[in-house]
Amino acid sequence: MAREELTRLTGNGNGNCGKDDCPNVYRTASGSFVIQGDVSNAFTPPDGEGLVEIPEHILREAIRALGW
């Protein structure tokens, strides 16, 4: 899946934050979410899964964008 196929719910939409690594929330066409953030080492997830850490204000922005 390409980034262009996702609906960006946070940020200014240009994908550029100096290192192109801003925390962001995206929505897929099927209604699921893709989260972009800093890799977290809080615990070791099961094989095939990963952990990311994003600030609370990013989640709040995504919720506002969805009208929840």
Side-chain angles (χ1 to χ4, degrees), residues 3 6-9 11-15 21 24-25 31 33 37 40 42 45 48 54 61 65-67:
R3 183 185 288 188
L6 304 172
T7 300
R8 186 170 174 166
L9 300 175
N12 59 16
N14 70 10
D21 60 353
N24 283 299
V25 178
F33 298 93
S40 174
I54 61 171
E61 185 178 346
L66 292 168

Side-chain angles (χ1 to χ4, degrees), residues 4-66:
E4 295 77 24
E5 298 175 62
L6 304 172
T7 300
R8 186 170 174 166
L9 300 175
T10 57
N12 59 16
N14 70 10
N16 296 318
C17 295
K19 296 186 226 169
D20 196 23
D21 60 353
C22 298
N24 283 299
V25 178
Y26 300 87
R27 193 165 197 189
T28 68
S30 67
S32 63
F33 298 93
V34 175
I35 309 297
Q36 175 187 3
D38 293 328
V39 174
S40 174
N41 295 315
F43 63 91
T44 302
D47 286 344
E49 295 183 4
L51 303 175
V52 297
E53 186 173 339
I54 61 171
E56 180 180 326
H57 75 275
I58 298 295
L59 291 177
R60 290 182 181 276
E61 185 178 346
I63 290 167
R64 280 193 302 274
L66 292 168

